[in-house]
Amino acid sequence: MGWLRTAERRGCPGRPGRPGRRTGPCEGPRVPAHPLSTLTAALESMHRGIPTAILTDFGVREAHGNHYFLHSGCLASWDDIDAGALPQPDPAWSAAQGIGKSDPYAAARDRVRALRGGGAVLPPLRPYYTPQRASLYLGDLLHRHGLDEKGRPLPTALGGGDPSRVKAVVRRVARSGAKSLYRVGRQRVAPTLRKWGAA
């Protein structure tokens, strides 16, 4: 969640309004405008429809990251904000960036609904591994996943485990034990034998 650095105008009798600084989650329009230096908070603020100013007092360049907002219409300086500017993002720019949409997946949902309801006939699936292309290892590949050549589940006996899985577990345990023995020999036994040989 973006954190805001906002300037709040506080009107006090006999004193001009002074900007204050506040940090916190962007959970709603708390102030009339949000002059921001955090760019993720700026996008969040624009999405909520809050007037947002991207500060340009330190320049607009890629190193600052504010070049993203070049054509947004929200670039402003503190002088502009003092003059009462309340920048709103350009609608065309916002639409191109996906800002302000209440449902960003509406277009995808409509397309899927049209494809499903339009009676479009999709071409049949063409698997890469076929008996013609991969006759040597297709059977083993399917068997490892518990399927026969037609793609149906293989019948398994009650309580009977897959022998290839049992072999894999035994192999894994044996490999782990061999690694442990090698490590003990290298770290403990070999230095002791060297000491005995040197004595």
Side-chain angles (χ1 to χ4, degrees), residues 1-166:
M1 180 176 291
W3 290 83
L4 296 178
R5 181 172 178 245
T6 65
E8 184 178 4
R9 299 293 174 191
R10 297 186 179 124
C12 299
R15 293 169 57 184
R18 292 180 302 142
R21 197 179 79 135
R22 184 171 71 224
T23 60
C26 181
E27 292 179 351
R30 299 179 180 176
V31 294
H34 282 176
L36 296 163
S37 60
T38 306
L39 303 180
T40 52
L43 290 172
E44 191 175 342
S45 177
M46 288 177 183
H47 182 73
R48 292 171 186 260
I50 301 169
T52 306
I54 308 299
L55 297 175
T56 59
D57 291 307
F58 298 109
V60 177
R61 52 181 71 93
E62 190 173 351
H64 294 165
N66 54 6
H67 67 291
Y68 178 79
F69 299 95
L70 269 177
H71 303 289
S72 67
C74 291
L75 297 174
S77 67
W78 280 112
D79 294 333
D80 298 333
I81 294 169
D82 286 338
L86 296 173
Q88 289 283 357
D90 179 49
W93 182 86
S94 296
Q97 308 305 320
I99 298 171
K101 293 183 179 178
S102 57
D103 186 5
Y105 303 107
R109 283 194 193 96
D110 293 342
R111 178 73 177 135
V112 169
R113 200 175 299 117
L115 287 173
R116 291 179 74 185
V121 179
L122 297 175
L125 292 176
R126 295 184 323 164
Y128 181 77
Y129 294 113
T130 62
Q132 292 79 24
R133 276 195 196 156
S135 59
L136 295 176
Y137 56 88
L138 181 62
D140 290 338
L141 181 67
L142 290 172
H143 184 71
R144 260 184 275 151
H145 293 282
L147 302 170
D148 65 4
E149 282 75 15
K150 301 275 187 187
R152 295 178 299 228
L154 289 172
T156 56
L158 286 175
D162 185 5
S164 64
R165 289 187 182 177
V166 173

